[in-house]
Amino acid sequence: MTGNTFGKLFSLTTFGESHGPAIGGMIDGCLAGVTIDFEAIQYELDRRRPGQSELTTSRQESDQVEFLSGIFEGKTTGTPIGFIIRNKDHKSQDYEHLKNTFRPSHADLTYQKKYGIRDHRGGGRSSARETACRVVAGAIARQMMPNEIKVWAYVSSVGEVKLDKSYKDMDPLAVDYSSVRCPDADRAIDMIGLIEKVRSEGDSVGGVITCVVQGLPAGLGEPVFDKIHADLAKAMLSINAVKGFEIGSGFAASSMRGSEHNDAFNQDLSTKTNNSGGVQGGITNGEDIYFRVAFKPVATIMKDQTSYDLQGAEKQLEGKGRHDPCVVPRAVPIVEAMTLLVVADHFLRQRVQTSL
Amino acid sequence: MTGNTFGKLFSLTTFGESHGPAIGGMIDGCLAGVTIDFEAIQYELDRRRPGQSELTTSRQESDQVEFLSGIFEGKTTGTPIGFIIRNKDHKSQDYEHLKNTFRPSHADLTYQKKYGIRDHRGGGRSSARETACRVVAGAIARQMMPNEIKVWAYVSSVGEVKLDKSYKDMDPLAVDYSSVRCPDADRAIDMIGLIEKVRSEGDSVGGVITCVVQGLPAGLGEPVFDKIHADLAKAMLSINAVKGFEIGSGFAASSMRGSEHNDAFNQDLSTKTNNSGGVQGGITNGEDIYFRVAFKPVATIMKDQTSYDLQGAEKQLEGKGRHDPCVVPRAVPIVEAMTLLVVADHFLRQRVQTSL
Amino acid sequence: MTGNTFGKLFSLTTFGESHGPAIGGMIDGCLAGVTIDFEAIQYELDRRRPGQSELTTSRQESDQVEFLSGIFEGKTTGTPIGFIIRNKDHKSQDYEHLKNTFRPSHADLTYQKKYGIRDHRGGGRSSARETACRVVAGAIARQMMPNEIKVWAYVSSVGEVKLDKSYKDMDPLAVDYSSVRCPDADRAIDMIGLIEKVRSEGDSVGGVITCVVQGLPAGLGEPVFDKIHADLAKAMLSINAVKGFEIGSGFAASSMRGSEHNDAFNQDLSTKTNNSGGVQGGITNGEDIYFRVAFKPVATIMKDQTSYDLQGAEKQLEGKGRHDPCVVPRAVPIVEAMTLLVVADHFLRQRVQTSL
Amino acid sequence: MTGNTFGKLFSLTTFGESHGPAIGGMIDGCLAGVTIDFEAIQYELDRRRPGQSELTTSRQESDQVEFLSGIFEGKTTGTPIGFIIRNKDHKSQDYEHLKNTFRPSHADLTYQKKYGIRDHRGGGRSSARETACRVVAGAIARQMMPNEIKVWAYVSSVGEVKLDKSYKDMDPLAVDYSSVRCPDADRAIDMIGLIEKVRSEGDSVGGVITCVVQGLPAGLGEPVFDKIHADLAKAMLSINAVKGFEIGSGFAASSMRGSEHNDAFNQDLSTKTNNSGGVQGGITNGEDIYFRVAFKPVATIMKDQTSYDLQGAEKQLEGKGRHDPCVVPRAVPIVEAMTLLVVADHFLRQRVQTSL
């Protein structure tokens, strides 16, 4: 009820604050008998972790996941997979000044108003550190599903640097060639240049991630409220700093004519175009799903800002701490993970209908 | 599990196909003792119904709701509110040609692939007629909450005609002045002109709806997966023909700097700007929520299209039937209704935390 | 959240008060392509309805179910099955005297205290009439599952008349030979005699129903909280007037030794005895499930009783109206229906694990 | 969906096998601002742990809970409370002989049939060790609710030794005077004597626990499927080895007349008798709730038993290992914990209705 669980048949429940003893969670509903590739999980965690490249915060988080249950002799048993990731490199004193102050465009004030109490250290539960648990679960979702289902994402814009090409022109293997996770080499250089400039100014910058799902069978998704793209939208907006989502033709569709937008059929009932983004009436049609996710610039900047405490006393916030000037490179594995959670959930839900 | 229920504490469950005996649903979790204004409910249904103006389909649906339970002597009793809306004006024979054919960019084929069977008449469960139930529930949600909570929406673009003003410059009372539901008189005329042109061409056109929530207390929304704007995103994408959602600064945020995007506090902890769109970390901060919803042009057009049956035989689809050239005017009450469902749900969820 | 829905994958949601326009509900999650036998549904409703025999209330309720959705050309489509049963034979004036009075051992006072308002006519939502919806859903659950799964129940005691034989000595086809639904002819006569005596005294009497599930595959049920017998216990206690549940050896197990209670295996891993009642660790083992459900005597009696209103003023309640002296004969189809809902739900849940 | 979560507003999710690295769980929905008494939690864990007295297994489990989140500076923050209990004193080699063998009346075979794979060590997920997590959550539920709500349980029978007195004649403080947790000194001695005799015979024995809830306000529970006693029934049957549940008059009600069973009102609308056990129509009426829970004798006995593997080869099971001859003394805190979870859940659910 408090929104710490995502998914209905394949579900992830998370707990933990950034500066408590550990974050962790539980993956429920994973099929039994899946051989777990632990290195692949750690690989995804490493793609998300701070300190991985010159573009990210210098804060080092090793993000070593410890599995506590649900896996026996290397295979899932069908019982819940509990796991924790210990928090290290605590610099809680960095946050002492935030005890009675609220950072602009952070969740400090809203948590205080909601609960009347909060763990003020490093954002507590609102810290993006929570997303490490999502990456663990996404990696397991990927391993549970058939190999032909591919989920991959990449950075398609940073600030005003935009990649104006289709995902079809991108090579999924090239995403990680650059630290910015843009598979187009030219745009990647521009993006890195922009991020370094922004960092040198003590500022932050937003961006867009494009995500693609390929190899999905037709029939996934539920007709009315749990349309697969509605669940994807929720999944994406549940990621910190996300402000927008569009699938297929997206916002551009609002300017189009039906005769132009309709995806005509080929004789095998595949479609000639894919404005719908692989989903009709909330259900996959077997074409590629692709969507775009907009991220705002992170609120933590290295500039001084003015705030107030609950009594209205002015508080000066110094720009300090270790943070990313642009989160989108590190958000790529998070977008993939949340997409994998949605896909795995609907994959299991459709088993009910199609089995026997 | 099959996605026919929306909401956790205040929930709507719907059933029904467009050409069966009735559609209907059940509102669960409405507080006891709420005096129901039945005329206000019918008023919202009339805003959604086909045939209401020269802009919409000439198909007449009277959409008379019959309440079956949960209301006694004009007040809610706390028990579930069941209701049905009989389907009338059936022209099921209009759809006989669709029995073995699939319309481009409709859900015909995906339902067939999901279930192996479908009610082919008028889209069956995928028909937008289902949204009438959402409008009923939204109207009751509105009546359950304090009067100061205002939810209103309007058409902010139709095709290439765009309203480039803030919601703050709009008068909520002016929305229904024009049949296109754009509160700016000049743009409304342009939009109507465009829709009539598109209709005369046998085509359809997309658009954008802007929605605003005012008067919400701080503290609504849940921290991680059930962020209030994540639930809004899901709510919007669950509406037929929606392809995109953005809140506050939205996609534009991706081009901004943090120093520009951060919403600085006033001394009373309200904010000077509202790029965040009234939500920080998934929780309302007391500022206005505003978001934009992109609709594609409806798939039904008055032009001939080619399709195929499951055996690969070519089928020619004639452009006939009675449909809207542009759905956004009629979608305004649907967007409001889904927004009201999300807000009412989080309103009740926060009661758990704040009461006693 | 308000407990009007039962089941997770195969679910029933109900609404309606006994003296409103209709009761009804929605069955969600039924597989697509199931051919519906409408007569079989009506047959079960007739087994539950008042006025069916000399043993029950003379109140006639025809209980004609109208299906509104989810069934097309006689087959389920996978979409939700909405249905209503109109309320007839209203004698609401019979209840006018109850507006400000509370009947002993009825739910009148507790609804008033919970909601501060109630539909006082005939118990409103607490009326056993609501169970007609469960019977509809149970009948559909039965039709969805393979024929070899058999669920049947019978009256095994009425007051002090007890049937001291195993279900294995009973013939399922003989249950409906007598109006009391006891398949043992001798005990049936004794039970009928007792009920008639009790009725002549203006009193009511309790009883016990035994229920049996046969032909279930091993593997149904979930390990921890959703043990299949835990779900059965909840299902049974959710039926009006039920005060107890025991499965397999039941309360007698508390006096037994482990060496005596353990069910030794045969070579094919079936068991020699079945004290466990077909469930080990919450999961079916392929043996018969059998359990007993205790019903209290119904609270409505034809004797005068004293009560008070909220202001403490004494109110004399006359024994009048039309009610059953013993509900267990009519509760047999309700027990079967709730059992079928639990079994169908776990049947679908196990499809997720075993399919592909 | 896999039944590892209990409760809707106040919920517990658990994971873990008895011989993995740890068991653990997450308490979700606990109100913010509750001061946590960690000693009280450990006290309850110590009441459940093996090796606490001469009556229980000599297997020592220290059951030290480590809280990972949701508590800050000694108070709950409203965010999820994650916790783990490390498994120690592993003697996994004790279980090597069970890899391909199935113990009679254990869950070995049913897990194998459900999942096709299992952690065979010590029952894995089906081990009663999982209930330690429930005790943690129950202790927190107790601390969240007003002090006047009292939940206490005691052993009311062991085998043929039965305590034939009402809970009203028992002193809650006397429950722990004896290791068998029967507050009647005479019966306690008899029970201990019986358990020691059974142990000396290498056998096990069942028993009954009575549980009482006092100080509850009227209005808790939901009308139809989530009747509070239906949820209690499910909670109890979800505990290992439980075979039966009865509330108030229970099975005895089936032999009673309505005139005898009805609970007449006093002028203040309290009742003169309490056959209903504090619940009318699924909703509390403010009287005491009391119910009885039947436990079978545990399946592990110190006698040789014959079993078979999946290929039908005979396997001789030696009676060895360290187990309780009677689980009911240690099950008392588990029954209390599950009761507390149900009560806390409905306590929060009713806040939605009654607040503002």
Side-chain angles (χ1 to χ4, degrees), chain B residues 18-50:
Chain B
S18 57
H19 285 64
I23 58 170
M26 190 182 107
I27 299 153
D28 207 4
C30 186
L31 295 176
V34 177
T35 302
I36 294 299
D37 180 341
F38 295 98
E39 283 182 27
I41 299 169
Q42 192 60 48
Y43 175 76
E44 294 297 336
L45 277 172
D46 289 344
R47 294 178 82 208
R48 192 213 72 91
R49 80 174 174 86

Short mmCIF file of all heavy atoms in Angstrom, two decimals, chain B residues 18-50:
data_model
loop_
_atom_site.label_atom_id
_atom_site.label_comp_id
_atom_site.label_asym_id
_atom_site.label_seq_id
_atom_site.Cartn_x
_atom_site.Cartn_y
_atom_site.Cartn_z
N SER B 18 -18.40 -2.70 -25.65
CA SER B 18 -19.23 -1.63 -26.22
C SER B 18 -20.54 -2.16 -26.80
O SER B 18 -21.52 -1.43 -26.87
CB SER B 18 -18.45 -0.90 -27.31
OG SER B 18 -18.03 -1.82 -28.30
N HIS B 19 -20.58 -3.41 -27.22
CA HIS B 19 -21.79 -3.91 -27.86
C HIS B 19 -22.45 -5.06 -27.11
O HIS B 19 -23.30 -5.76 -27.64
CB HIS B 19 -21.49 -4.31 -29.30
CG HIS B 19 -21.32 -3.10 -30.18
ND1 HIS B 19 -20.30 -2.20 -30.00
CD2 HIS B 19 -22.06 -2.62 -31.21
CE1 HIS B 19 -20.40 -1.24 -30.90
NE2 HIS B 19 -21.45 -1.46 -31.64
N GLY B 20 -22.05 -5.26 -25.85
CA GLY B 20 -22.77 -6.20 -25.00
C GLY B 20 -23.97 -5.50 -24.38
O GLY B 20 -24.30 -4.37 -24.74
N PRO B 21 -24.64 -6.14 -23.43
CA PRO B 21 -25.84 -5.53 -22.84
C PRO B 21 -25.54 -4.24 -22.08
O PRO B 21 -26.34 -3.31 -22.10
CB PRO B 21 -26.34 -6.61 -21.87
CG PRO B 21 -25.68 -7.88 -22.29
CD PRO B 21 -24.39 -7.50 -22.94
N ALA B 22 -24.39 -4.16 -21.43
CA ALA B 22 -24.09 -2.99 -20.62
C ALA B 22 -22.61 -2.94 -20.33
O ALA B 22 -21.91 -3.94 -20.39
CB ALA B 22 -24.86 -3.04 -19.29
N ILE B 23 -22.14 -1.75 -20.02
CA ILE B 23 -20.86 -1.63 -19.35
C ILE B 23 -21.17 -1.26 -17.90
O ILE B 23 -22.30 -0.90 -17.57
CB ILE B 23 -19.95 -0.56 -19.99
CG1 ILE B 23 -20.64 0.81 -20.00
CG2 ILE B 23 -19.57 -0.97 -21.42
CD1 ILE B 23 -19.73 1.96 -20.40
N GLY B 24 -20.18 -1.38 -17.04
CA GLY B 24 -20.46 -1.05 -15.65
C GLY B 24 -19.21 -1.14 -14.82
O GLY B 24 -18.10 -1.34 -15.34
N GLY B 25 -19.41 -0.99 -13.54
CA GLY B 25 -18.25 -1.04 -12.68
C GLY B 25 -18.62 -0.94 -11.23
O GLY B 25 -19.80 -0.98 -10.86
N MET B 26 -17.60 -0.81 -10.43
CA MET B 26 -17.79 -0.72 -9.00
C MET B 26 -16.73 0.20 -8.41
O MET B 26 -15.54 0.05 -8.71
CB MET B 26 -17.63 -2.11 -8.39
CG MET B 26 -18.03 -2.17 -6.96
SD MET B 26 -17.75 -3.82 -6.31
CE MET B 26 -16.31 -3.45 -5.29
N ILE B 27 -17.20 1.14 -7.64
CA ILE B 27 -16.31 2.06 -6.94
C ILE B 27 -16.17 1.55 -5.52
O ILE B 27 -17.18 1.40 -4.82
CB ILE B 27 -16.89 3.49 -6.96
CG1 ILE B 27 -17.03 3.96 -8.41
CG2 ILE B 27 -16.03 4.43 -6.13
CD1 ILE B 27 -18.13 4.99 -8.59
N ASP B 28 -14.95 1.28 -5.12
CA ASP B 28 -14.76 0.71 -3.79
C ASP B 28 -13.90 1.66 -2.96
O ASP B 28 -12.96 2.27 -3.47
CB ASP B 28 -14.07 -0.65 -3.91
CG ASP B 28 -14.40 -1.55 -2.75
OD1 ASP B 28 -15.22 -1.16 -1.90
OD2 ASP B 28 -13.85 -2.66 -2.69
N GLY B 29 -14.23 1.77 -1.71
CA GLY B 29 -13.42 2.57 -0.81
C GLY B 29 -13.90 3.99 -0.64
O GLY B 29 -13.29 4.77 0.10
N CYS B 30 -15.00 4.36 -1.29
CA CYS B 30 -15.52 5.71 -1.08
C CYS B 30 -15.94 5.85 0.39
O CYS B 30 -16.58 4.96 0.96
CB CYS B 30 -16.71 5.97 -1.99
SG CYS B 30 -17.30 7.68 -1.91
N LEU B 31 -15.59 6.94 0.98
CA LEU B 31 -15.95 7.18 2.37
C LEU B 31 -17.46 7.14 2.55
O LEU B 31 -18.21 7.43 1.62
CB LEU B 31 -15.41 8.55 2.82
CG LEU B 31 -13.90 8.67 2.86
CD1 LEU B 31 -13.49 10.10 3.23
CD2 LEU B 31 -13.26 7.68 3.84
N ALA B 32 -17.89 6.79 3.74
CA ALA B 32 -19.32 6.79 4.07
C ALA B 32 -19.79 8.21 4.36
O ALA B 32 -19.02 9.05 4.83
CB ALA B 32 -19.56 5.90 5.29
N GLY B 33 -21.07 8.45 4.06
CA GLY B 33 -21.67 9.72 4.44
C GLY B 33 -21.51 10.84 3.43
O GLY B 33 -21.87 11.99 3.73
N VAL B 34 -21.00 10.53 2.25
CA VAL B 34 -20.86 11.56 1.22
C VAL B 34 -22.21 11.74 0.51
O VAL B 34 -22.79 10.78 0.02
CB VAL B 34 -19.79 11.16 0.18
CG1 VAL B 34 -19.70 12.19 -0.94
CG2 VAL B 34 -18.44 10.94 0.85
N THR B 35 -22.71 12.97 0.48
CA THR B 35 -23.94 13.24 -0.24
C THR B 35 -23.63 13.27 -1.74
O THR B 35 -22.73 13.98 -2.17
CB THR B 35 -24.51 14.61 0.18
OG1 THR B 35 -24.75 14.57 1.60
CG2 THR B 35 -25.83 14.90 -0.55
N ILE B 36 -24.36 12.46 -2.49
CA ILE B 36 -24.07 12.32 -3.91
C ILE B 36 -24.94 13.28 -4.73
O ILE B 36 -26.16 13.35 -4.56
CB ILE B 36 -24.33 10.87 -4.37
CG1 ILE B 36 -23.33 9.94 -3.69
CG2 ILE B 36 -24.22 10.75 -5.90
CD1 ILE B 36 -21.87 10.22 -4.01
N ASP B 37 -24.28 14.03 -5.59
CA ASP B 37 -24.97 14.93 -6.54
C ASP B 37 -25.06 14.18 -7.87
O ASP B 37 -24.11 14.15 -8.64
CB ASP B 37 -24.15 16.22 -6.67
CG ASP B 37 -24.77 17.21 -7.64
OD1 ASP B 37 -25.63 16.80 -8.46
OD2 ASP B 37 -24.39 18.39 -7.59
N PHE B 38 -26.22 13.58 -8.10
CA PHE B 38 -26.37 12.75 -9.30
C PHE B 38 -26.32 13.57 -10.58
O PHE B 38 -25.85 13.11 -11.61
CB PHE B 38 -27.67 11.94 -9.23
CG PHE B 38 -27.69 10.94 -8.12
CD1 PHE B 38 -28.30 11.23 -6.91
CD2 PHE B 38 -27.05 9.72 -8.26
CE1 PHE B 38 -28.30 10.31 -5.86
CE2 PHE B 38 -27.04 8.80 -7.22
CZ PHE B 38 -27.66 9.09 -6.01
N GLU B 39 -26.80 14.79 -10.51
CA GLU B 39 -26.76 15.63 -11.71
C GLU B 39 -25.33 15.95 -12.12
O GLU B 39 -25.02 16.02 -13.31
CB GLU B 39 -27.53 16.93 -11.47
CG GLU B 39 -29.04 16.73 -11.53
CD GLU B 39 -29.78 18.05 -11.35
OE1 GLU B 39 -29.21 19.12 -11.68
OE2 GLU B 39 -30.91 18.01 -10.84
N ALA B 40 -24.48 16.15 -11.13
CA ALA B 40 -23.08 16.44 -11.45
C ALA B 40 -22.42 15.26 -12.15
O ALA B 40 -21.56 15.43 -13.02
CB ALA B 40 -22.32 16.80 -10.17
N ILE B 41 -22.82 14.06 -11.76
CA ILE B 41 -22.27 12.87 -12.42
C ILE B 41 -22.74 12.82 -13.87
O ILE B 41 -21.96 12.61 -14.80
CB ILE B 41 -22.69 11.59 -11.67
CG1 ILE B 41 -22.14 11.61 -10.24
CG2 ILE B 41 -22.23 10.34 -12.43
CD1 ILE B 41 -22.72 10.54 -9.34
N GLN B 42 -24.05 13.04 -14.06
CA GLN B 42 -24.58 13.00 -15.41
C GLN B 42 -23.97 14.09 -16.28
O GLN B 42 -23.71 13.90 -17.47
CB GLN B 42 -26.11 13.11 -15.38
CG GLN B 42 -26.78 12.78 -16.70
CD GLN B 42 -26.48 11.34 -17.15
OE1 GLN B 42 -26.60 10.41 -16.37
NE2 GLN B 42 -26.04 11.19 -18.40
N TYR B 43 -23.72 15.24 -15.66
CA TYR B 43 -23.10 16.34 -16.39
C TYR B 43 -21.75 15.93 -16.96
O TYR B 43 -21.43 16.19 -18.13
CB TYR B 43 -22.95 17.55 -15.46
CG TYR B 43 -22.21 18.70 -16.10
CD1 TYR B 43 -22.83 19.53 -17.03
CD2 TYR B 43 -20.87 18.95 -15.77
CE1 TYR B 43 -22.13 20.58 -17.62
CE2 TYR B 43 -20.19 20.01 -16.35
CZ TYR B 43 -20.82 20.81 -17.28
OH TYR B 43 -20.13 21.85 -17.86
N GLU B 44 -20.95 15.23 -16.15
CA GLU B 44 -19.64 14.78 -16.63
C GLU B 44 -19.80 13.73 -17.73
O GLU B 44 -19.04 13.71 -18.71
CB GLU B 44 -18.79 14.23 -15.48
CG GLU B 44 -18.39 15.27 -14.44
CD GLU B 44 -17.49 16.38 -14.99
OE1 GLU B 44 -16.81 16.15 -16.01
OE2 GLU B 44 -17.48 17.48 -14.41
N LEU B 45 -20.76 12.84 -17.55
CA LEU B 45 -21.01 11.83 -18.59
C LEU B 45 -21.40 12.49 -19.91
O LEU B 45 -20.98 12.05 -20.98
CB LEU B 45 -22.12 10.87 -18.14
CG LEU B 45 -21.68 9.73 -17.23
CD1 LEU B 45 -22.90 8.98 -16.70
CD2 LEU B 45 -20.76 8.76 -17.98
N ASP B 46 -22.18 13.55 -19.80
CA ASP B 46 -22.59 14.23 -21.02
C ASP B 46 -21.42 14.93 -21.70
O ASP B 46 -21.40 15.10 -22.92
CB ASP B 46 -23.70 15.25 -20.70
CG ASP B 46 -25.00 14.57 -20.35
OD1 ASP B 46 -25.15 13.36 -20.63
OD2 ASP B 46 -25.88 15.24 -19.76
N ARG B 47 -20.46 15.36 -20.92
CA ARG B 47 -19.26 15.96 -21.51
C ARG B 47 -18.45 14.92 -22.30
O ARG B 47 -17.69 15.28 -23.19
CB ARG B 47 -18.35 16.55 -20.42
CG ARG B 47 -18.94 17.73 -19.68
CD ARG B 47 -17.97 18.20 -18.60
NE ARG B 47 -16.93 19.07 -19.13
CZ ARG B 47 -15.71 19.20 -18.62
NH1 ARG B 47 -15.36 18.48 -17.56
NH2 ARG B 47 -14.82 20.01 -19.15
N ARG B 48 -18.56 13.69 -21.92
CA ARG B 48 -17.79 12.64 -22.59
C ARG B 48 -18.54 11.99 -23.75
O ARG B 48 -17.95 11.46 -24.70
CB ARG B 48 -17.44 11.52 -21.59
CG ARG B 48 -16.39 10.51 -22.09
CD ARG B 48 -16.63 9.10 -21.56
NE ARG B 48 -17.79 8.50 -22.18
CZ ARG B 48 -17.75 7.74 -23.29
NH1 ARG B 48 -16.62 7.47 -23.85
NH2 ARG B 48 -18.87 7.26 -23.82
N ARG B 49 -19.87 12.04 -23.72
CA ARG B 49 -20.64 11.17 -24.62
C ARG B 49 -20.49 11.60 -26.10
O ARG B 49 -20.33 12.80 -26.39
CB ARG B 49 -22.11 11.15 -24.21
CG ARG B 49 -22.92 12.34 -24.65
CD ARG B 49 -24.40 12.14 -24.31
NE ARG B 49 -25.12 13.36 -24.63
CZ ARG B 49 -25.61 13.63 -25.84
NH1 ARG B 49 -25.46 12.76 -26.82
NH2 ARG B 49 -26.23 14.77 -26.07
N PRO B 50 -20.57 10.62 -26.97
CA PRO B 50 -20.57 10.92 -28.41
C PRO B 50 -21.82 11.72 -28.76
O PRO B 50 -22.82 11.69 -28.04
CB PRO B 50 -20.64 9.54 -29.06
CG PRO B 50 -20.25 8.57 -27.99
CD PRO B 50 -20.65 9.20 -26.70
#
